[in-house]
Amino acid sequence: MTKKLVLGMTVAVLMLCLVAPVFSGGQQDQAKEDMTVEEINETRPLVVGLPTGLVTFETNEIATKTDVSVAEHIFDRLLQLTADAELAPMLATSYEMLDDRKTWRFKLRDDVYFSNGEHFTAETVKYVIDRGMDDQYNWRGNTPGYLFPSMDLVGAEVVDKYTVDIKASGYQPDLPGYISEVFIHPKEYYENNSLEKVAAEPIGSGPYVLKEWVKDDHATLELRDEYWGERPNLKTLIFRPFPETSTAVAELINGTVHVISKVPPDQAPMIDKTEGVEMRTVDGGRRIYVGFQQTADGPGSEAVRDVRVRRALNMAVDIDAILNSLLYGRGEREGGMVNPPHKSEEIKPYPYDPERAKELLAEAGYADGFSVELATPNGRYTKDREIALAIGDYLKEVGVDVEVIPYEWSVYVSMIRQKELPPLYLLGSGSAFLSAWYDLSDLVTVDAATNYVNWQNDEWDRLVQKLQNTYDPDEREKITDRLQMIVHEDAPWLFIYMQVDWYAKTSNIDWEPRGDEIMDFKHASFTK
Amino acid sequence: MLRYIGRRLLQSVIVMLGVSVLAFSVLFLSGDPTYLYVNERASHEQIEKTRQQMGFDQPIYIQYGRFLKGAVQGDFGKSLRYGQPAMQLVLERFPATIELAFVGMFIAVIFAIPLGVLAATKRNSILDGGTMVFAMVGQSIPGYWFGLMLILIVGVYWKLLPISGRVPLLEPLLRGEFGVFFSSLGQGLRHLILPGIASGIWSLSRNTRLVRSSMLEVLGVDYITTARAKGVAEKKVVMKHAFRNAMIPVVTIVGLEVGFLLSGNIIIENVFAWPGIGRLIIYAINQKDFNIVQAGVVLLAFFFVIINLIVDVLYTWLDPRIRYN
C-alpha cells in the first residue's frame, strides 16, 4: 500500500512539473535575427503594466490617469498638449478667441472619420459638449466634473460643418487648454447605444481600436487600417493591470512586459543594475503639499490659522533631506503652487531654519509648541506616508507634537470631498502645465471644491476679480505673479515638491515618459 | 434525510436573509449614500434630485424591501464605476476564481491525504518527521512572500512558468467552444500552476496535519485493534476501517476551505495579477462601489451555505451511523 501511495504522489508531482516543459513556449521577446524594426513593430505587441485596472471607456466617467492613458490611443481631442507642454492642433486646425472674449472659435479638420465610419463635424463637437453638460447623467468623471466647471462652460454652437464656437460665461484664456483634455466621440454611435455598451466598446477617431477588454486582466488595442493622422509604429498595444508592483517588475525583467509605471523608488537601484531594463524618471506636475486646514476643529486648529505658525512650519522641515533619503535626491523643494514653466521667478522655497521657526512660533504664542494631527494617504503618492512621518519628526524638533495618521485612499478621498480633514493633511494636486492660473485656480474662492484648506485672503480675492477682467497677457502675468507671491507668503500649504514620476522599461523599446502622468505610445517603437 | 435537507434549506434562507441585511447596511456605512452618486461639484439641487431618484429619501424598510426584491432576482443595480450590472461583473470574475480554487483544492487534497496517511502509518519515522516539518513550514510561510518567491525562482530565474495573468479555460468550456478550450489548455494550465500552488500550500499543510492526527486517533481505537487481531490485512485496516472514519473532520475542513477559496484569495490574486472575485470586491470596497460589494457578498454567502449543505450530506456517506432525524 505504501508503495502505491508513494507512486501515486510521485506521479501527481511529475504531472504538475511536466506540464510546464510540455507546454512551454517562451513569452519573452524573441525576434528572428533578420527581422527589421518595422517587422518587429508589426508582429510583437507592446505590453504595458498599469498600476490599477481599467474602469471605463465612457469619456464622461473617466477619472484616473490609468484610464486616460489607454483612452488616449482610441480617442482624439480638438487640441493636444505635447510632451513639451505646448498646445498643438489635433482635430481642430486652428482656434481663436472672438471679440466678446467669451467665445472661442475652432476650425475643424474635414477628413476625420471615426472607427465605425462616422464623419467628424462641428455637430460632433456640439454633441460631446452637450452630452457632458447634461445633468440627467450625473457624470462623475473628470471632464464634466472638473474641466467644464473650471472653464465656466456655457455650451457649443455650430457655425458651419467644420466650424464650432465654444462659449464660456466669462473671459477664459485657458479654455483651449481645458478643451485639449476633452475626448471626442461620435454622435450617432453614442446616441443609439446604451451607456453600458459605449463604456465597454468605445468608438473614437484615434489611431487604435479596442480589440478586447477582459476587466482586471488586459485590454488589447490594435492599429486602425485608416487613420487621418500620423500612423504610430506599434501595431498592437496590450495594457495589463498589476496590483502588486513586485510582480510587474518581475515581468519587466523577464521581458514579458515592456513598460511599467509607479515603480517604488526603492526598486530603482535594482532595476538600473539589471541588464535589459532601465529606469526613467520625469518631473511631474503634481504638487505634493501639506495643507493647513483653516476651518478644522480640534487640537492645533487655532494655531494653523496664524500665518506665523504656517511660515514657521514651512521653515521647520528639511525637505531636501527628505527627498534625498526617500527619493534618492529626485525632486526639488518648492515654495509655491505653480509648476516650473509658469512659476514666478520671485518664488523661492522657504529655507530650512528651525531656529527661525521656533522664534516665529514663540511670536505667535506657541513657544511651548502645540499638538496637531497630520493625515496622510497611504500609497496614493510616491512615499506619501513616509514623507508625512518624516515631516512629523521634523516638526517635533521645533516643539510641535504631530500625530501622523495614515488612511486608505477610499476613506481619505471622502474626507477630502466632505472637507473633514484635520488641521494638517498631505495631498497631491494635479496640474497640466497650461498656465500659472490653471495651477492657482485650486484656491480660486474660499468655497471652491478644490480649496480643501478653506483658505481666504482679501488681497487674493481682489486680484482674482481683477484678473477676470484683465485681457493683456503681460498684465495678467503680473497679477498671477503677485498671486503666486500671496500664496507663498500667506502659506496655506506647507510646500513640499512637484512629484517625480517613476517608470521602468525594457531597453529594446524607444519611449520616454511625459510629465502629465499620461502614458502615450503613439510614437514608441521597438529597437530590436 | 429529505426532511433534514428541507430543514437545512429553511435555515439557509434565514442565514441568507441575515446576510442580505448586512449587505444592505454596507451602503450606509459611510454616511449619506447619495454623495456616492454625484460628482464633487454637484449643486444642492442635484444632490436632492439624486436622493429622490435613488429612493434614499424613503423609509429604510422600504429601501430594504426594494433591495431584497432586486437581490432575489439577482439585480443589485449598476456598478458606480463600471456602469454595468453589479452581478454581471461579479459573475464575470467567477470562472477565474473557480479555476484557482479548484487547482488550490486539488493540490491541498491530492497531496494532503496520502502524505497524512503515510505519516500516520509510519509514525515517528523520517517520513513522518519530514512531513510534519513540511506542514509546519507550509503553514508558517506568509502566502504573499511564498507567491513572490515562486515568481522569482520559477518565473524569473528558471523561466519555467508564466509569472502572472490568466488564459481562460472555464469560459470556453461553458460556452461549448471545445476547440478553443483544448487550444488554450496548455497555456491555461501553465498560468494556473504558480498561483494554484501559492493558494493551496497553506491548506495542503493544514490538511496533511489534520489527516495525520485524525488517522492516528482512529488507528488507536478498539475496532482497529480487533480488526488486526482478526487477521484483516493491514491495507484493508488502514484504507477501509481507519481512513474512511478519519475523513469526517477532514471533509468538514475541506468544505470550509472550498468556501474560502471560492470567495477569492485577495493576496494571491494580487500577487499573480489574477482577475478573480477577491480583487474585484476589494477594489469595490476601496472605490466605495457598494453595489458590487453587495452582489459579491450575497453570492459568496449563497455558495457557502450550499457547500455546507453538501458537506453535511457527505457525512452520511462517510459514516452511516450519522442519522438526520
Side-chain angles (χ1 to χ4, degrees), chain A residues 397-465:
Chain A
E397 286 179 16
V398 296
V400 181
D401 185 21
V402 179
E403 186 189 358
V404 178
I405 306 176
Y407 291 91
E408 282 307 309
W409 180 248
S410 59
V411 178
Y412 204 65
V413 81
S414 280
M415 292 166 66
I416 296 166
R417 285 182 63 170
Q418 292 173 32
K419 296 197 175 179
E420 290 172 351
L421 294 155
L424 301 185
Y425 66 91
L426 187 143
L427 196 66
S429 177
S431 166
F433 305 105
L434 284 171
S435 68
W437 178 243
Y438 188 100
D439 285 359
L440 289 164
S441 62
D442 276 7
L443 305 176
V444 55
T445 58
V446 66
D447 53 357
T450 47
N451 187 354
Y452 305 119
V453 281
N454 292 324
W455 173 75
Q456 192 269 331
N457 177 292
D458 291 338
E459 188 188 355
W460 167 282
D461 288 343
R462 276 197 308 277
L463 284 175
V464 168
Q465 285 294 324

Side-chain angles (χ1 to χ4, degrees), chain A residues 159-371:
Chain A
V159 178
D160 61 41
K161 196 171 180 184
Y162 300 111
T163 309
V164 66
D165 284 349
I166 297 178
K167 286 178 183 292
S169 62
Y171 176 57
Q172 284 289 344
D174 287 338
L175 187 142
Y178 287 114
I179 283 293
S180 77
E181 295 187 50
V182 177
F183 288 128
I184 303 296
H185 52 73
K187 182 180 177 185
E188 219 170 283
Y189 177 76
Y190 279 70
E191 261 183 350
N192 296 330
N193 287 288
S194 67
L195 291 175
E196 280 171 43
K197 179 162 172 145
V198 300
E201 299 170 30
I203 295 290
S205 60
Y208 289 89
V209 289
L210 180 67
K211 193 170 180 201
E212 184 182 45
W213 180 26
V214 179
K215 292 184 195 77
D216 269 350
D217 193 60
H218 70 274
T220 304
L221 274 56
E222 263 197 16
L223 260 183
R224 286 171 60 183
D225 295 332
E226 302 287 332
Y227 177 57
W228 64 267
E230 185 188 344
R231 185 184 152 88
N233 301 308
L234 298 163
K235 187 178 180 194
T236 309
L237 306 176
I238 298 175
F239 293 89
R240 291 185 56 197
F242 287 94
E244 172 54 49
T245 318
S246 305
T247 312
V249 172
E251 291 276 21
L252 186 84
I253 291 170
N254 259 10
T256 37
V257 167
H258 302 103
V259 178
I260 59 173
S261 63
K262 295 209 171 180
V263 179
D266 319 1
Q267 300 204 20
M270 182 275 289
I271 290 173
D272 269 335
K273 282 181 195 162
T274 307
E275 196 183 338
V277 291
E278 302 164 4
M279 279 301 300
R280 283 288 185 276
T281 54
V282 62
D283 292 331
R286 190 171 291 280
R287 288 82 48 91
I288 305 294
Y289 68 93
V290 169
F292 297 117
Q293 231 278 50
Q294 298 298 288
T295 53
D297 295 322
S301 54
E302 193 58 43
V304 301
R305 286 194 265 275
D306 190 315
V307 66
R308 290 166 295 185
V309 172
R310 299 199 294 269
R311 287 179 190 160
L313 300 196
N314 264 292
M315 291 180 188
V317 183
D318 190 350
I319 299 290
D320 291 331
I322 293 174
L323 297 178
N324 275 331
S325 58
L326 290 176
L327 302 176
Y328 299 88
R330 292 291 284 116
E332 284 181 22
R333 180 174 194 160
E334 281 298 336
M337 59 187 296
V338 174
N339 266 286
H342 307 285
K343 188 169 92 175
S344 161
E345 288 176 4
E346 303 293 312
I347 303 294
K348 306 286 180 215
Y350 279 90
Y352 171 54
D353 189 346
E355 292 311 313
R356 178 66 187 137
K358 283 179 190 167
E359 286 171 20
L360 281 169
L361 285 172
E363 281 174 29
Y366 296 99
D368 297 329
F370 58 90
S371 297

Side-chain angles (χ1 to χ4, degrees), chain A residues 2 9 20 23 55 63 135 138-140 145-146 196 215-216 240 242-244 247 251 254 410 414 417, chain B residues 38-41 46 50 78 80-84 144 155 159 163-164 186 190 270-271 279 283 286 288:
Chain A
T2 308
M9 285 171 58
F23 294 106
V55 175
D135 279 346
N138 255 333
W139 302 121
R140 281 164 295 113
Y146 172 69
E196 280 171 43
K215 292 184 195 77
D216 269 350
R240 291 185 56 197
F242 287 94
E244 172 54 49
T247 312
E251 291 276 21
N254 259 10
S410 59
S414 280
R417 285 182 63 170
Chain B
V38 294
N39 68 52
E40 65 184 72
R41 297 194 179 212
Q46 279 174 305
T50 306
K78 281 186 182 177
L80 279 174
R81 303 303 309 163
Y82 289 104
Q84 294 181 313
Y144 172 82
K159 299 193 190 305
I163 290 169
S164 65
R190 292 182 77 231
N270 267 351
V271 169
R279 244 172 90 190
Y283 169 82
N286 283 334
K288 298 196 172 182

Side-chain angles (χ1 to χ4, degrees), chain A residues 52 131 263:
Chain A
T52 57
R131 185 168 178 266
V263 179

Side-chain angles (χ1 to χ4, degrees), chain B residues 189-301:
Chain B
L189 287 175
R190 292 182 77 231
H191 280 82
L192 264 166
I193 293 175
L194 293 188
I197 292 173
S199 79
I201 187 76
W202 193 87
S203 300
L204 166 63
S205 308
R206 184 170 75 170
N207 293 348
T208 304
R209 287 169 63 116
L210 192 68
V211 171
R212 177 182 177 273
S213 62
S214 194
M215 280 294 289
L216 282 176
E217 195 183 320
V218 176
L219 284 169
V221 299
D222 289 348
Y223 65 82
I224 297 292
T225 313
T226 307
R228 282 176 175 149
K230 282 164 72 178
V232 178
E234 187 61 17
K235 178 184 170 186
K236 204 169 176 183
V237 169
V238 172
M239 294 313 293
K240 190 167 180 186
H241 294 270
F243 178 69
R244 200 163 154 182
N245 288 308
M247 280 300 100
I248 291 176
V250 178
V251 167
T252 309
I253 294 296
V254 168
L256 286 173
E257 280 171 356
V258 170
F260 279 118
L261 285 174
L262 280 180
S263 64
N265 189 333
I266 176 64
I267 294 171
I268 300 302
E269 287 180 3
N270 267 351
V271 169
F272 291 95
W274 192 261
I277 206 165
R279 244 172 90 190
L280 177 71
I281 292 178
I282 291 296
Y283 169 82
I285 290 170
N286 283 334
Q287 294 296 318
K288 298 196 172 182
D289 199 336
F290 292 126
N291 297 24
I292 290 182
V293 179
Q294 290 172 332
V297 166
V298 170
L299 188 74
L300 293 175

